[in-house]
Amino acid sequence: MILHTEVAGDGEPLVFLHTGLQTGETDFEKQREYFSSEYQVISPDLRGHGKSSSDDLDDYFNQAADDLEETFRAKEIKSAHIVGSSFGALAALFLAKRYPGFVRTLTISGVTPLKPGNWKTMNEEESKFRMNLLNDEEACAYFDSLHGQGWQRFIHMGQDEDWYPFDEVHSIQALTMPVLYLIGEGLEHELKGVTFYKEQSEFMHAAVLPLASHLVHTEQPDLYNKTLEVFLSKYES
């Protein structure tokens, strides 16, 4: 499917892929504002989010990669710098593996490369938190305003402990584009990815930002922007 996409600025295409239950318009706000003066900033709504409505969430991340490829072709984007956080970073990784020709550079944050030994417990606790959102009238009204009906399917998706694509996230050896693993210091299972990923690829760069955790782009936006800016400047056309 061709995704609903917001575009701002001119220059090399720079695509931001939002976190789960957000949209291209509500996430990466500080980054869109910062980079739109130098880049063509592209912010899609991923499948089932925002204005990219879909009832088909099966094989989600492979479909998300296909959606992005189809959208890029429709908009005549030959290649782009791809940036994703959390859910959006998973979509970005699948895109880079399935359609590497479209990915000039790849920046990811909020991913877990190695399955934690206590993953079942971690996912159960996170699932309880997400399920509680369904009983929060204010939260439901907010997500209804962003996505319309059906966003609850993502909540239920997360109840299955096998929803996270560890097999794909585990390996980046096949990637030949420059990669930046840009994370906060707050989560041990994300920090382990620094050495794990760097051992796999000569194209891998890593940065750990202080006083930030899973959503590093919102928790330390200025440091995130400066770090991403330095990385992108090394690989501009």
Side-chain angles (χ1 to χ4, degrees), residues 175-188:
L175 300 182
T176 58
M177 74 287 293
V179 180
L180 174 61
Y181 185 55
L182 177 52
I183 62 169
E185 65 180 354
L187 294 177
E188 182 181 353

Side-chain angles (χ1 to χ4, degrees), residues 14-231:
L14 172 59
V15 179
F16 289 104
L17 301 180
H18 61 78
T19 56
L21 292 182
Q22 292 300 310
T23 70
E25 188 174 3
T26 61
D27 204 0
F28 284 104
E29 292 178 285
K30 295 290 188 180
Q31 288 69 41
R32 293 201 312 275
E33 179 183 346
Y34 187 85
F35 286 101
S36 60
S37 62
E38 297 292 334
Y39 293 86
Q40 182 187 50
V41 174
I42 299 166
S43 305
D45 291 349
L46 294 172
R47 173 180 289 257
H49 292 79
K51 297 177 182 177
S52 295
S53 301
S54 176
D55 294 326
D56 183 5
L57 304 183
D58 293 337
D59 194 17
Y60 186 86
F61 295 107
N62 278 313
Q63 287 212 80
D66 292 343
D67 294 341
L68 289 163
E69 184 266 349
E70 186 175 352
T71 301
F72 291 169
R73 289 191 186 278
K75 295 186 174 297
E76 299 183 343
I77 299 170
K78 295 181 179 179
S79 69
H81 303 283
I82 308 295
V83 181
S85 173
S86 190
F87 201 79
L90 299 178
L93 274 167
F94 274 72
L95 174 70
K97 289 187 173 187
R98 288 173 68 85
Y99 303 103
F102 283 97
V103 182
R104 182 167 180 78
T105 67
L106 175 66
T107 299
I108 53 174
S109 61
V111 301
T112 304
L114 293 163
K115 187 175 183 177
N118 64 337
W119 169 251
K120 182 177 181 179
T121 300
M122 286 175 56
N123 193 62
E124 286 175 351
E125 292 175 354
E126 184 64 23
S127 293
K128 288 178 183 178
F129 170 78
R130 290 190 293 256
M131 288 297 291
N132 285 336
L133 291 176
L134 301 180
N135 299 317
D136 184 327
E137 291 185 5
E138 185 175 344
C140 287
Y142 171 70
F143 290 124
D144 283 346
S145 71
L146 294 185
H147 312 293
Q149 297 299 313
W151 58 268
Q152 298 89 344
R153 292 170 296 172
F154 289 101
I155 302 290
H156 295 296
M157 181 192 300
Q159 289 186 286
D160 181 355
E161 68 175 285
D162 294 325
W163 78 270
Y164 200 90
F166 285 108
D167 288 346
E168 289 291 335
V169 178
H170 182 82
S171 174
I172 62 166
Q173 290 174 336
L175 300 182
T176 58
M177 74 287 293
V179 180
L180 174 61
Y181 185 55
L182 177 52
I183 62 169
E185 65 180 354
L187 294 177
E188 182 181 353
H189 55 270
E190 292 183 8
L191 285 171
K192 287 181 178 179
V194 173
T195 53
F196 181 72
Y197 275 157
K198 284 188 71 65
E199 289 173 353
Q200 293 186 42
S201 174
E202 63 181 298
F203 306 106
M204 178 74 190
H205 306 270
V208 179
L209 303 189
L211 306 176
S213 189
H214 183 63
L215 299 179
V216 61
H217 67 292
T218 62
E219 295 162 353
Q220 285 285 10
D222 293 337
L223 281 175
Y224 182 98
N225 290 348
K226 290 293 186 182
T227 305
L228 179 58
E229 183 178 39
V230 170
F231 173 68

